[in-house]
Amino acid sequence: KTWNLFISRTHQGFLIMSDVEGDDVPASADVAALPAATGGPMDINAAIQEVLKEALIHDGLSRGLHETTKSLDKRQALLCVLAENCDEPMYKKLVQALCQEHQIPLIKVDSNVKLGEWAGLCKLDQEGNPRKVVRCSSVVVRDWGKESQALDMVQEYIKSQRA
């Protein structure tokens, strides 16, 4: 009678835990090995990539036109990153005008595919290589996440661009 009760409860959606050892889920591989992690010199693109990764982890990243313009209008943006090879020229004008109007720093990168990969709009294979990358023309950072060397480098780059 208890066996029938056990079966009926499992069919109702109760969770059954395993007593067998070794059924742990393997940890996922690191997304990308950055030059900072390997001890090499960091350029501005690697620094932007690391800052976007930290912002994504801390839920401080807006991706795409709709989210970007909402964050820029609400003045929640700390930084805006725009791809140079954007398909629509009016899109670039809108984002640039909003950044200029609200005095939000704007950094331009060369590829929207690269920006999509940095913003986490891709699938990763077992080795951690990006697959099925979705293009992204603009990204807004609303929360830096934790302090890092890359963040300091990006902030210095922003100050040098304003001067």
Side-chain angles (χ1 to χ4, degrees):
K1 209 168 193 176
T2 57
W3 183 253
N4 289 339
L5 181 64
F6 176 74
I7 291 174
S8 66
R9 284 191 177 169
T10 58
H11 287 288
Q12 293 175 359
F14 288 103
L15 180 65
I16 301 172
M17 295 180 65
S18 173
D19 292 334
V20 182
E21 287 190 34
D23 55 353
D24 296 334
V25 178
S28 63
D30 228 359
V31 174
L34 295 173
T38 59
M42 184 185 300
D43 66 336
I44 188 63
N45 286 334
I48 293 170
Q49 180 180 1
E50 191 171 324
V51 166
L52 292 180
K53 183 175 148 187
E54 277 301 317
L56 182 63
I57 290 170
H58 288 81
D59 196 30
L61 202 60
S62 297
R63 306 171 284 192
L65 177 64
H66 185 71
E67 290 181 25
T68 298
T69 53
K70 276 177 40 180
S71 296
L72 290 172
D73 263 344
K74 292 180 182 178
R75 298 179 184 177
Q76 297 173 338
L78 302 172
L79 169 69
C80 183
V81 183
L82 180 67
E84 286 285 347
N85 65 343
C86 178
D87 299 334
E88 187 64 41
M90 293 304 290
Y91 180 96
K92 286 172 62 174
K93 284 184 181 180
L94 172 66
V95 173
Q96 288 172 347
L98 285 171
C99 288
Q100 188 176 11
E101 179 182 344
H102 302 306
Q103 287 89 33
I104 296 168
L106 177 69
I107 297 179
K108 295 181 182 176
V109 295
D110 55 348
S111 171
N112 55 6
V113 175
K114 191 186 307 182
L115 186 58
E117 180 184 334
W118 293 351
L121 296 172
C122 63
K123 301 276 185 186
L124 299 175
D125 62 8
Q126 291 180 344
E127 291 85 37
N129 299 323
R131 300 279 184 241
K132 297 183 179 180
V133 179
V134 177
R135 297 179 300 167
C136 181
S137 294
S138 67
V139 170
V140 162
V141 177
R142 291 177 282 121
D143 180 14
W144 295 118
K146 65 179 183 179
E147 295 287 324
S148 66
Q149 179 186 1
L151 176 59
D152 295 338
M153 186 173 186
V154 169
Q155 288 175 338
E156 286 299 319
Y157 180 78
I158 292 168
K159 285 180 187 175
S160 70
Q161 293 297 317
R162 287 186 175 178

